[in-house]
Amino acid sequence: MRRRHHFHIDHLGHSVSVTVETGHSAVVDVLVDGKETARVTIGHDRQVALPVQLPTDPPTTVTVRVTSGPGVPRCLLVPADEGDPLVMAPRSY
C-alpha cells in the first residue's frame, strides 16, 4: 500500500515542499514556491540527494536529502554554503 508523506521549510524567503510517496519504490517530488523542480523514483529504504535552485538573485542551489526508510521518511535541506542541514518539518495533509 502506498502512503504519502509531506515535508516543508521556508528558506531564503522561498517555500520548499517535498512529497514522498512510499510503497515498493518511493516517488519523491520537490516543489519550490509551488512549482515542481525535481521528481525521482528510488528503491525502498534508499537515500537520494536532489540539487534544487531557489529563484534568488543570483539563483541559489540547495540540496534536498530524502531518506525513504526504514520507517517513516525523513527530509533535510542542505544550504548552499554547506552549513548544517535543516530538518524539513513533516506536514499532515
Side-chain angles (χ1 to χ4, degrees):
M1 188 168 110
R2 297 187 80 74
R3 287 193 60 193
R4 288 184 150 191
H5 303 269
H6 303 278
F7 302 88
H8 181 82
I9 194 167
D10 289 319
H11 186 67
L12 299 177
H14 295 279
S15 169
V16 180
S17 300
V18 176
T19 300
V20 181
E21 188 173 340
T22 60
H24 205 64
S25 59
V27 178
V28 179
D29 289 308
V30 181
L31 288 84
V32 174
D33 295 336
K35 296 180 182 175
E36 187 175 292
T37 58
R39 180 181 177 92
V40 67
T41 301
I42 58 175
H44 183 66
D45 293 348
R46 299 284 179 154
Q47 187 177 42
V48 66
L50 300 168
V52 176
Q53 277 199 343
L54 300 179
T56 56
D57 188 23
T60 303
T61 301
V62 297
T63 302
V64 174
R65 196 178 323 157
V66 179
T67 304
S68 63
V72 178
R74 296 166 301 285
C75 290
L76 298 172
L77 184 132
V78 182
D81 62 4
E82 297 299 323
D84 291 332
L86 305 171
V87 175
M88 296 183 68
R91 300 279 172 119
S92 57
Y93 289 96

